[in-house]
Amino acid sequence: MLNQLGLYYRTIKHLKPIQIRYRLWYMFRNKTRKLIGHSCPLSIPKLGNRLNLEEDISKPATCNLQPFSTKVSFTFLNLTQSFEGNINWNTRTYGKLWVYNLNYFDYLHQTDISKEEGLKLIRGFIHQVKENNEGLEPYPISLRGINWIKFLSKHDIEDKEIDSSLYSQYQILLDNLEYHLLGNHLLENGCSLLFGAYYLQDQELYNKAKEILSEELEEQILNDGGHFERSTMYHCILLERLMDCHNVMSHNDAFEDTDLEQKVKEKVKLMLGWLAKVSVDRRQTTGDKTAPNEPQLPLLNDAAKGIGSEPVELFDYADRLGLEAGKVELGQSGYRRYSSGNIDIICDVGRVGPDYQPGHAHSDTFSFVLYVDGKPVIIDPGISTYENNDQRQLERSTNFHNTVQYGDKEQSEVWSAFRVGRRAQVEIKAEDQKKLTASHNGYQPWGITHEREWTVKEDHIYIRDRLIGKEGATGKFYLHFHPLFLGEILVQDNSIQTKGIKVEVEGAVDIRKYNYDCPDGYNQYIKAPKIKVTFFNHLITKIFWNTETTGLKK
């Protein structure tokens, strides 16, 4: 009981007063009145205003409407559900995130969906809205509002029933803004209100959108362009959303206000700069020439394949909008990138995330990823679920990252699906263009400090780990290899070898190889090899590469 109370205290003490105030207010208010009170269409002054928009990023197919049938199938998170007749917008067959995706309406932007099919889905939602509790939560309203407005504008649709529903949904959103969560949720609320303001030509929506965006952009977009929740997936999602906002403001004249447009533009350029720094070009070798191919992004913190748009799509969208990446140096986001010849290494020496919203953070301090010839070798496996279960706990834990675990302890106290209690604090001791040294206090409750030093040399990477504070402190250093290396790793004496990659360790008392379930998007996995090196107090690791024999060029 005392341990549980301590866990709650270490989690709640970091919240902002506004989060506590709004959480209590919403709990009290929702017990005294039903949210659904706003669900019936309200009268609006006039039909919505079709928006002029530059072509944005199309979405992959997630909805399969069968002609001459009432059957419809949806695929989200690699899980498919079919409905015969009316769609159950509250279905919990596959959990909350799946039903959220159902209510987002991203599928309106599939290349193969017709105007008539899209309208059928929208009207089906409206006619069942009184039973749809999930869809009337503020986050789905925010994403759905943008998707409906894009679809209506693209097809030049004028429909009073739809516009009235949009108006009433935005009234619900105004009344339920996610101040209890803050972070990316509130930023999405603000972006959607901006779309609603331009579409409905509503000054109240615009004023609130400007208030939220002005404050949250300064708070959430860091000096080096990274998003403050430190997830590569959410960085891409929010970058696309802010480019959507720039798209609206630069092509429509409903409000004469250049300040907000300029602020959004500046932050987008910073975010593009960060994306360029953290993305690694996948190289193709032809003869003696190595040419850049599509940039790829490591899956850091909460990140999964197939959710956010790919870097190449985001850079192409920026080009269509006339936006260029700003020049940034990685710093405040906590990531560092080093390159030498054909290798790239990205190191994590940052905090777990904003103190008051670390829901997408992992216990991954001092983890790193390694690319050779632009191809992933040592990876962050990413995630496969948001459900509050053992798999979610594993994927956020220390031993699921390329870092050191002291005994069986966690660097940071990740728990539940989106909670963090005690957090590791990092001190950067030295850094230059080839070397980075830092320590963290995540193991301080047990009298241990972890110090890691990376040095990038011409033909290898030197990593030194020290557990300081107790003689004989047992550390376990984990390395997660890309699935392509399955069956290719040989452990012999104090070395690990695979496809021209050689890892030598000094100070190991045991080296074990085993396979793990590497997330391959949500709810699916692929086997990949993992190494656990056990040591006492001090370990030196050297990673050598020989691109002529790696087979990575193929």
Side-chain angles (χ1 to χ4, degrees), residues 313-333:
E313 297 174 303
L314 294 166
F315 289 128
D316 286 347
Y317 187 22
D319 286 342
R320 293 196 296 275
L321 294 174
L323 298 169
E324 297 181 354
K327 294 182 179 180
V328 302
E329 293 297 329
L330 296 178
Q332 194 179 6
S333 64

Side-chain angles (χ1 to χ4, degrees), residues 336-354:
R336 302 292 188 272
R337 175 174 173 173
Y338 297 93
S339 302
S340 177
N342 287 336
I343 70 100
D344 298 279
I345 181 172
I346 298 171
C347 308
D348 182 352
V349 290
R351 54 200 301 196
V352 298

Side-chain angles (χ1 to χ4, degrees), residues 377-551:
V377 177
I378 296 171
I379 65 170
D380 189 318
I383 62 168
S384 68
T385 183
Y386 274 173
E387 295 298 304
N388 185 15
N389 55 26
D390 291 343
Q391 186 65 31
R392 173 71 171 157
Q393 185 65 30
L394 170 66
E395 291 169 2
R396 297 180 77 201
S397 67
T398 305
N399 66 20
F400 210 65
H401 299 86
N402 305 309
T403 188
V404 169
Q405 183 175 29
Y406 167 61
D408 60 354
K409 309 304 182 186
E410 292 292 324
Q411 301 168 330
S412 294
E413 204 171 21
V414 292
W415 65 286
S416 190
F418 301 101
R419 302 284 184 263
V420 183
R422 171 183 46 77
R423 300 103 194 264
Q425 303 296 324
V426 174
E427 177 187 357
I428 296 177
K429 296 189 170 182
E431 67 175 310
D432 57 32
Q433 293 183 339
K434 294 293 181 182
K435 187 174 181 178
L436 174 62
T437 307
S439 66
H440 76 78
N441 67 354
Y443 302 126
Q444 201 58 52
W446 304 278
I448 297 292
T449 298
H450 177 207
E451 180 182 273
R452 171 165 277 189
E453 174 189 305
W454 294 268
T455 304
V456 179
K457 298 183 181 277
E458 187 173 333
D459 66 341
H460 73 279
I461 297 167
Y462 172 99
I463 302 173
R464 185 190 68 178
D465 287 297
R466 291 200 301 157
L467 294 178
I468 305 166
K470 287 183 181 178
E471 191 65 30
T474 302
K476 291 174 284 189
F477 175 28
Y478 295 94
L479 287 172
H480 296 79
F481 285 84
H482 191 276
L484 287 174
F485 292 88
L486 185 67
E488 300 287 343
I489 291 180
L490 173 65
V491 176
Q492 190 172 29
D493 298 327
N494 286 321
S495 71
I496 303 130
Q497 298 185 56
T498 177
K499 291 186 177 180
I501 304 296
K502 184 177 182 181
V503 182
E504 294 182 351
V505 293
E506 299 176 17
V509 296
D510 186 55
I511 303 175
R512 296 289 176 93
K513 176 187 73 171
Y514 52 100
N515 296 334
Y516 71 102
D517 289 326
C518 180
D520 190 33
Y522 275 91
N523 299 302
Q524 59 186 22
Y525 309 90
I526 185 170
K527 291 293 182 182
K530 178 173 181 173
I531 298 293
K532 179 175 72 173
V533 180
T534 304
F535 66 97
F536 297 129
N537 289 106
H538 191 268
L539 181 72
I540 292 175
T541 306
K542 297 177 183 178
I543 304 174
F544 296 85
W545 57 90
N546 181 347
T547 56
E548 297 304 318
T549 58
T550 56

Side-chain angles (χ1 to χ4, degrees), residues 133-228:
N133 295 323
E134 299 283 358
L136 291 179
E137 292 184 15
Y139 193 74
I141 287 176
S142 297
L143 274 60
R144 182 174 57 251
I146 292 173
N147 286 324
W148 281 18
I149 289 168
K150 286 182 178 181
F151 181 81
L152 296 171
S153 297
K154 176 183 178 180
H155 293 286
D156 196 25
I157 296 167
E158 292 188 0
D159 189 297
K160 187 172 183 179
E161 181 186 39
I162 296 174
D163 288 347
S164 293
S165 178
L166 264 174
Y167 181 75
S168 68
Q169 289 178 57
Y170 275 116
Q171 296 308 305
I172 295 173
L173 180 58
L174 278 176
D175 202 30
N176 293 272
L177 293 166
E178 293 176 277
Y179 288 112
H180 60 302
L181 295 177
L182 300 176
N184 73 85
H185 276 240
L186 186 59
L187 189 55
E188 288 279 17
N189 296 165
C191 292
S192 189
L193 288 172
L194 185 74
F195 265 78
Y198 272 85
Y199 183 79
L200 297 166
Q201 297 185 327
D202 188 296
Q203 188 68 46
E204 181 185 16
L205 295 183
Y206 183 80
N207 290 344
K208 180 54 72 170
K210 182 175 182 179
E211 175 190 318
I212 292 173
L213 290 174
S214 297
E215 293 179 5
E216 294 306 313
L217 287 175
E218 289 302 317
E219 173 80 2
Q220 296 193 32
I221 310 307
L222 303 174
N223 294 339
D224 64 359
H227 183 254
F228 77 158

Side-chain angles (χ1 to χ4, degrees), residues 24-44:
L24 293 174
W25 163 239
Y26 286 156
M27 286 173 59
F28 171 76
R29 188 199 63 186
N30 291 344
K31 286 182 181 296
T32 59
R33 70 169 172 82
K34 289 188 176 181
L35 184 65
I36 207 69
H38 279 300
S39 67
C40 297
L42 305 177
S43 60
I44 57 175

